[in-house]
Amino acid sequence: MINSVLEQCPIRDAVECHLAAYNAAFYELGLSWHWDDETFHALQSLSCERDRIKKYMETHQSHLLRVYDADFLIDAIQTTKARCYETMTHGGAKKASTVNWAEFQRAEVGV
Protein backbone atom coordinates (compact mmCIF):
# COMPACT_ATOMS: atom_id res chain seq x y z
CA MET A 1 0.00 0.00 0.00
CA ILE A 2 2.73 2.50 0.94
CA ASN A 3 4.71 1.72 -2.22
CA SER A 4 1.74 2.60 -4.45
CA VAL A 5 1.34 5.90 -2.60
CA LEU A 6 5.05 6.66 -2.88
CA GLU A 7 5.06 6.09 -6.62
CA GLN A 8 2.37 8.72 -7.23
CA CYS A 9 4.23 11.88 -6.19
CA PRO A 10 7.52 13.25 -7.52
CA ILE A 11 9.87 14.95 -5.06
CA ARG A 12 11.26 18.29 -6.15
CA ASP A 13 14.45 18.45 -4.13
CA ALA A 14 16.63 16.70 -1.58
CA VAL A 15 15.20 18.63 1.39
CA GLU A 16 11.67 17.50 0.56
CA CYS A 17 12.95 13.98 0.06
CA HIS A 18 14.57 13.90 3.51
CA LEU A 19 11.42 15.31 5.12
CA ALA A 20 9.26 12.72 3.34
CA ALA A 21 11.66 9.97 4.41
CA TYR A 22 11.42 11.05 8.06
CA ASN A 23 7.62 11.07 7.93
CA ALA A 24 7.59 7.69 6.18
CA ALA A 25 9.90 6.31 8.89
CA PHE A 26 7.69 7.68 11.66
CA TYR A 27 4.68 6.08 10.00
CA GLU A 28 6.45 2.76 9.52
CA LEU A 29 7.61 2.68 13.15
CA GLY A 30 4.08 3.38 14.38
CA LEU A 31 4.99 6.80 15.77
CA SER A 32 2.20 9.34 15.50
CA TRP A 33 4.70 12.05 14.62
CA HIS A 34 4.57 14.31 11.63
CA TRP A 35 7.19 16.88 10.73
CA ASP A 36 5.81 19.71 8.64
CA ASP A 37 8.09 22.12 6.76
CA GLU A 38 8.25 24.53 9.69
CA THR A 39 9.25 21.85 12.21
CA PHE A 40 11.81 20.32 9.87
CA HIS A 41 13.43 23.66 9.06
CA ALA A 42 13.51 24.73 12.72
CA LEU A 43 15.39 21.53 13.57
CA GLN A 44 17.96 22.28 10.87
CA SER A 45 19.59 24.78 13.24
CA LEU A 46 21.17 21.70 14.85
CA SER A 47 23.99 20.31 12.71
CA CYS A 48 23.69 16.67 13.80
CA GLU A 49 20.78 14.47 12.70
CA ARG A 50 20.78 12.64 16.04
CA ASP A 51 20.57 15.97 17.90
CA ARG A 52 17.60 17.04 15.75
CA ILE A 53 15.66 13.88 16.55
CA LYS A 54 16.57 14.08 20.24
CA LYS A 55 15.54 17.75 20.44
CA TYR A 56 12.19 16.92 18.87
CA MET A 57 11.66 14.06 21.32
CA GLU A 58 12.58 16.26 24.29
CA THR A 59 10.27 19.10 23.25
CA HIS A 60 7.34 17.27 21.61
CA GLN A 61 7.44 13.61 22.69
CA SER A 62 9.06 13.69 26.14
CA HIS A 63 6.69 11.05 27.47
CA LEU A 64 8.47 8.47 25.28
CA LEU A 65 11.76 9.19 27.03
CA ARG A 66 10.30 7.91 30.29
CA VAL A 67 9.73 4.53 28.66
CA TYR A 68 12.37 4.19 25.94
CA ASP A 69 16.06 4.91 25.77
CA ALA A 70 16.64 7.96 23.54
CA ASP A 71 19.51 6.27 21.67
CA PHE A 72 17.32 3.24 20.93
CA LEU A 73 14.59 5.43 19.40
CA ILE A 74 17.07 7.57 17.49
CA ASP A 75 18.79 4.49 16.04
CA ALA A 76 15.45 3.01 14.95
CA ILE A 77 14.37 6.28 13.33
CA GLN A 78 17.69 6.85 11.56
CA THR A 79 17.87 3.30 10.21
CA THR A 80 14.29 3.36 8.96
CA LYS A 81 14.63 6.88 7.55
CA ALA A 82 17.78 5.90 5.63
CA ARG A 83 16.00 2.92 4.10
CA CYS A 84 12.95 5.03 3.21
CA TYR A 85 15.18 7.68 1.64
CA GLU A 86 17.00 5.04 -0.40
CA THR A 87 13.68 3.61 -1.59
CA MET A 88 12.39 7.05 -2.54
CA THR A 89 15.53 7.98 -4.46
CA HIS A 90 16.41 4.57 -5.93
CA GLY A 91 17.58 4.89 -9.49
CA GLY A 92 17.21 8.66 -9.42
CA ALA A 93 13.41 8.46 -9.49
CA LYS A 94 12.43 10.60 -6.52
CA LYS A 95 9.00 9.94 -5.06
CA ALA A 96 6.55 10.89 -2.31
CA SER A 97 7.07 14.45 -1.13
CA THR A 98 3.40 15.31 -1.23
CA VAL A 99 2.13 12.32 0.72
CA ASN A 100 0.42 13.72 3.80
CA TRP A 101 1.70 11.17 6.31
CA ALA A 102 -0.29 12.71 9.16
CA GLU A 103 -3.52 12.28 7.20
CA PHE A 104 -2.41 8.84 6.06
CA GLN A 105 -1.99 7.74 9.69
CA ARG A 106 -5.33 9.21 10.76
CA ALA A 107 -7.14 7.28 8.06
CA GLU A 108 -5.58 4.01 9.18
CA VAL A 109 -6.60 4.42 12.83
CA GLY A 110 -10.03 5.77 11.96
CA VAL A 111 -9.61 9.27 13.38
Side-chain angles (χ1 to χ4, degrees), residues 7-82:
E7 292 171 358
Q8 296 172 12
C9 306
I11 287 184
R12 290 184 293 274
D13 62 35
V15 172
E16 287 183 18
C17 190
H18 283 283
L19 177 55
Y22 273 115
N23 286 323
F26 300 151
Y27 172 80
E28 186 175 316
L29 292 169
L31 299 169
S32 60
W33 305 4
H34 175 77
W35 287 0
D36 57 17
D37 287 333
E38 183 179 328
T39 301
F40 185 68
H41 291 295
L43 291 169
Q44 297 307 303
S45 65
L46 301 168
S47 61
C48 174
E49 182 181 35
R50 292 184 71 80
D51 291 343
R52 292 179 198 135
I53 297 167
K54 187 172 184 178
K55 178 69 170 180
Y56 181 79
M57 285 191 300
E58 290 170 348
T59 58
H60 292 63
Q61 304 291 332
S62 61
H63 63 283
L64 290 176
L65 297 175
R66 289 184 286 246
V67 181
Y68 297 101
D69 177 65
D71 289 327
F72 168 79
L73 288 173
I74 293 168
D75 289 344
I77 292 166
Q78 284 186 303
T79 300
T80 306
K81 184 256 183 182

Side-chain angles (χ1 to χ4, degrees), residues 87-108:
T87 298
M88 291 175 185
T89 59
H90 181 68
K94 297 180 180 180
K95 308 168 189 158
S97 71
T98 59
V99 172
N100 184 339
W101 292 104
E103 198 61 36
F104 200 69
Q105 284 181 321
R106 258 192 294 279
E108 287 207 344

